[in-house]
């Protein structure tokens, strides 16, 4: 990474950081498109900037070029993702960049979309524009980790979110779990619901807590995620809060063939989408198959807010792309108090699923640890 940065000036880095900050302003709004920011610079001064606001609306480069106007000729464009070169809901950005006569384009990362994938860079170079890539590439890739997963696999990026006490519990022995974390962490969870396309939980959480699973933050606007309920036997009560307000906030009830047809019909009558998935070997919902089906429905990301068994199933199925673990400075004890991953567990430590080194943030008294699955699960220390 350091070697890559040596190819660019500090000024280049500053302008690309600005483009990344602009892109992040649209977090939660652009799916299934990526978040993209663009900055037009001439004589060391920003003359135009913009970001992609929502899918179907103009891309970041177009906003920046519109702001720059005729001054764009001979300027440098900094953009966080390779400009598109195909006709989609909007015209190709490469055509506009060439027409405006830019002299140089600096790109953080190539577009993994097979429709682009280097073709946009080639078009720009063939037009005589100096093109450089790789500036703050890791930051750009992290910003668009959801898009990268979805565009290359057609399956959603899955984030497992949990809140635990210092001794690893998600509830007391009585089952009481409100609230483990403080107000700042709870507000951030609602923000996460805005960031991701869907929020998924199991029927156990619905029967125990009857949550709304919506984004409730002051000062909006925010969007609600699609609510996805893992309910193999179709036990969701028709009075459940997740079956309210379906016109604004859709709900998908995921069942198996174990769900009675009459109950599936009653659930569908509420306006919820009933999605039947094959059972896995244990009779629970086959989560790998479910991810394929959700991807086909255009859901590019899922925030998993499940209990210990649902989390265990997700981990065992290998569908979790990121872990967000809130740790509260509390100890509740209890041999039977649940942990955030239950299931049958492993027998030997060498078989444990390893995670990356965490990124740590603080929310009031609580800590948030962000992990990814380690790339080499076979390497033991």
């Amino acid at each position: 990474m350091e070697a890559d940065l040596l190819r660019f000036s500090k000024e280049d880095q500053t302008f690309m950081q600005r483009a990344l900050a602009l892109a992040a302003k649209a977090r939660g709004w652009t799916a299934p498109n990526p978040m993209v920011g663009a900055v037009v610079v001439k004589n060391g001064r920003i003359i135009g900037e913009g970001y992609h606001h929502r899918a179907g609306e103009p891309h970041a480069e177009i906003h920046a070029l519109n702001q720059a106007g005729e001054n764009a000729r001979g300027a440098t464009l900094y953009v966080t993702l390779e400009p598109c070169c195909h006709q989609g809901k909007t015209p190709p950005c490469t055509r506009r960049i060439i027409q405006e006569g830019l002299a140089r384009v600096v790109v953080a990362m190539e577009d993994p979309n097979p429709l682009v994938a280097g073709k946009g860079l080639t078009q720009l170079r063939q037009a005589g524009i100096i093109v450089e890539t790789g500036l703050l590439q890791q930051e750009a890739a992290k910003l668009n980790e959801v898009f990268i997963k979805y565009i290359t696999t057609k399956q959603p990026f899955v984030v497992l979110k949990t809140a635990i006490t210092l001794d690893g519990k998600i509830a007391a022995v009585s089952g009481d779990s409100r609230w483990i974390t403080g107000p700042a962490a709870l507000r951030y969870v609602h923000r996460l619901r805005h960031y991701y396309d869907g929020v998924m939980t199991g029927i156990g959480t619905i029967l125990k807590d009857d949550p709304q699973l919506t984004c409730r933050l002051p000062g909006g606007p925010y969007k609600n995620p699609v609510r996805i309920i893992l309910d193999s036997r179709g036990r969701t009560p028709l009075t459940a809060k997740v079956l309210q307000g379906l016109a604004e906030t859709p709900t998908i009830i995921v069942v198996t063939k174990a769900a009675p047809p009459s109950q599936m019909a009653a659930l569908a009558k509420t306006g919820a989408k009933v999605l039947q998935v094959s059972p896995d070997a244990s009779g629970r919902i086959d989560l790998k198959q479910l991810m394929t089906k959700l991807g086909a429905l255009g859901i590019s990301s899922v925030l998993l807010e499940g209990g210990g068994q649902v989390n265990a199933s997700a981990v065992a199925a290998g569908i979790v792309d990121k872990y967000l673990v809130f740790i509260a400075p509390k100890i509740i004890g209890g041999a039977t108090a649940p942990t955030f991953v239950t299931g049958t567990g492993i027998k030997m430590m060498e078989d444990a699923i390893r995670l990356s080194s965490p990124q740590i943030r603080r929310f009031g008294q609580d800590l948030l640890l962000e992990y990814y699955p380690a790339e080499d699960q076979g390497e033991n220390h």
Side-chain angles (χ1 to χ4, degrees), residues 95-130:
R95 181 191 304 165
R96 177 71 182 277
I97 293 168
I98 293 167
Q99 287 175 349
E100 295 294 340
L102 278 94
R104 179 178 178 234
V105 175
V106 181
V107 177
M109 64 173 287
E110 291 188 12
D111 191 339
N113 185 343
L115 293 174
V116 185
K119 300 182 185 74
L121 302 178
T122 298
Q123 281 189 11
L124 296 176
R125 289 186 174 115
Q126 288 176 342
I129 297 173
I130 297 170

Side-chain angles (χ1 to χ4, degrees), residues 26-312:
R27 192 181 297 274
W29 293 115
T30 63
N33 286 0
M35 290 175 276
V36 182
V39 174
V40 181
V41 175
K42 195 168 188 179
N43 299 323
R45 185 174 64 87
I46 294 176
I47 59 172
E49 62 180 28
Y51 62 95
H52 180 46
H53 292 229
R54 297 187 188 220
E57 295 187 9
H59 290 186
E61 300 94 317
I62 305 305
H63 284 298
L65 290 170
N66 285 345
Q67 194 176 105
E70 294 181 357
N71 289 330
R73 183 162 298 277
T76 295
L77 171 69
Y78 296 85
V79 62
T80 58
L81 188 70
E82 175 183 1
C84 68
C85 56
H86 64 291
Q87 177 71 46
K89 292 182 178 178
T90 58
C93 290
T94 50
R95 181 191 304 165
R96 177 71 182 277
I97 293 168
I98 293 167
Q99 287 175 349
E100 295 294 340
L102 278 94
R104 179 178 178 234
V105 175
V106 181
V107 177
M109 64 173 287
E110 291 188 12
D111 191 339
N113 185 343
L115 293 174
V116 185
K119 300 182 185 74
L121 302 178
T122 298
Q123 281 189 11
L124 296 176
R125 289 186 174 115
Q126 288 176 342
I129 297 173
I130 297 170
V131 178
E132 298 177 75
T133 63
L135 176 57
L136 302 184
Q137 180 173 333
Q138 290 184 349
E139 291 85 346
K142 181 173 174 57
L143 179 73
N144 276 315
E145 59 191 7
V146 166
F147 170 73
I148 293 169
K149 167 81 181 288
Y150 184 67
I151 202 68
T152 56
T153 68
K154 296 303 179 186
Q155 296 201 352
F157 186 91
V158 178
V159 179
L160 189 159
K161 186 277 301 177
T162 192
I164 63 175
T165 57
L166 187 60
D167 53 340
K169 308 297 185 179
I170 61 171
V173 291
S174 65
D176 179 45
S177 60
R178 297 195 179 188
W179 294 103
I180 288 177
T181 52
L186 291 172
R187 283 194 298 270
Y188 187 66
V189 170
H190 282 270
R191 189 174 296 278
L192 289 171
R193 290 177 182 174
H194 162 72
Y195 289 163
Y196 297 107
D197 289 353
V199 58
M200 185 165 73
T201 196
I203 182 61
T205 298
I206 300 300
L207 296 175
K208 175 177 171 289
D209 298 331
D210 193 22
Q212 297 180 57
L213 298 180
T214 54
C215 176
R216 299 184 300 281
L217 283 172
Y222 298 101
K223 68 168 178 54
N224 287 326
V226 176
R227 298 172 290 197
I228 304 161
I229 313 304
L230 305 176
D231 183 11
S232 58
R233 291 180 284 161
R235 294 184 293 153
T236 300
L238 300 181
T239 56
K241 290 178 181 175
V242 293
L243 296 179
Q244 310 302 316
L246 294 176
E248 299 79 26
T249 309
T251 293
I252 300 172
I253 308 292
V254 186
V255 301
T256 68
K257 58 186 178 182
S262 59
Q263 181 66 0
M264 287 194 287
L267 289 169
K269 194 173 181 180
T270 68
K273 179 178 179 62
V274 179
L275 183 64
Q276 186 168 335
V277 175
S278 300
D280 61 16
S282 66
R284 296 187 175 90
I285 290 163
D286 186 326
L287 293 179
K288 287 186 177 179
Q289 184 185 118
L290 174 59
M291 292 304 109
T292 299
K293 287 180 177 285
L294 293 178
L297 291 174
I299 296 174
S300 66
S301 59
V302 171
L303 179 66
L304 176 57
E305 296 190 38
Q309 183 56 61
V310 167
N311 290 342

